[in-house]
Amino acid sequence: AQTVTQSQPEMSVQEAETVTLSCTYDTSESDYYLFWYKQPPSRQMILVIRQEAYKQQNATENRFSVNFQKAAKSFSLKISDSQLGDAAMYFCAYRRNYGGSQGNLIFGKGTKLSVKP
Amino acid sequence: KAGVTQTPRYLIKTRGQQVTLSCSPISGHRSVSWYQQTPGQGLQFLFEYFSETQRNKGNFPGRFSGRQFSNSRSEMNVSTLELGDSALYLCASSDRSMGWAYEQYFGPGTRLTVT
């Protein structure tokens, strides 16, 4: 069974600085997607960034980028120029791309990010 | 387009009762997934419906059930409620026609408290 581990329950960053959130996963599959979701306090969960396992190039979305190390099964999220609005729970998630369970996201326990002004 | 909507947003029930939660996906989305979020267990997949058929089911007891209607709206039902069912229940919709790159859009959730 696939598992996703986020080893940092809480992180803190100063506004305008850079922070990296860690995520490791375990799978024997080769075809999958990895995601980072953001859940602000009392607000809806939104997708931050996604990475397809077959793509070597790391995904980037504005201030958000990932470091995808497939062999090491590592998928970290880097937030540059942190803003107060980045404060939220961040979840790393895995989804296989074949078979009957492709709709099933497997989430890590999350990392609570605080941004200090 | 309007986002995913879930009703009710908050619910308080007593042990032993049953509850029905509703989810309306984004217009055009035919896939709806349900997740349970608790502080202890985190986010766990309940089930997924696509074109009125359950396509996938998580590891939850049979007290948890769901269905999807022809307009893609989905309901989930929990019978014989237990204290441990207190959670935020999230619904997510997606457009499978996008192929493997489809994204799941989450609703605001229904906060269920069982007393």
Side-chain angles (χ1 to χ4, degrees), chain A residues 53-78:
Chain A
Y54 275 113
K55 290 190 175 177
Q56 303 242 345
Q57 188 173 3
N58 289 325
T60 61
E61 288 286 343
N62 301 313
R63 299 182 295 108
F64 298 87
S65 61
V66 298
N67 183 5
F68 174 48
Q69 301 289 328
K70 191 172 183 179
K73 295 179 183 173
S74 170
F75 183 61
S76 60
L77 174 70
K78 185 171 83 171

Side-chain angles (χ1 to χ4, degrees), chain A residues 66-117:
Chain A
V66 298
N67 183 5
F68 174 48
Q69 301 289 328
K70 191 172 183 179
K73 295 179 183 173
S74 170
F75 183 61
S76 60
L77 174 70
K78 185 171 83 171
I79 306 174
S80 304
D81 185 26
S82 296
Q83 300 176 359
L84 295 177
D86 294 334
M89 281 291 288
Y90 285 82
F91 293 96
C92 179
Y94 169 102
R95 190 189 77 208
R96 68 193 303 195
N97 274 359
Y98 63 95
S101 60
Q102 59 263 39
N104 176 10
L105 285 168
I106 300 170
F107 287 92
K109 294 285 180 134
T111 296
K112 183 177 181 181
L113 178 66
S114 302
V115 181
K116 298 178 181 177

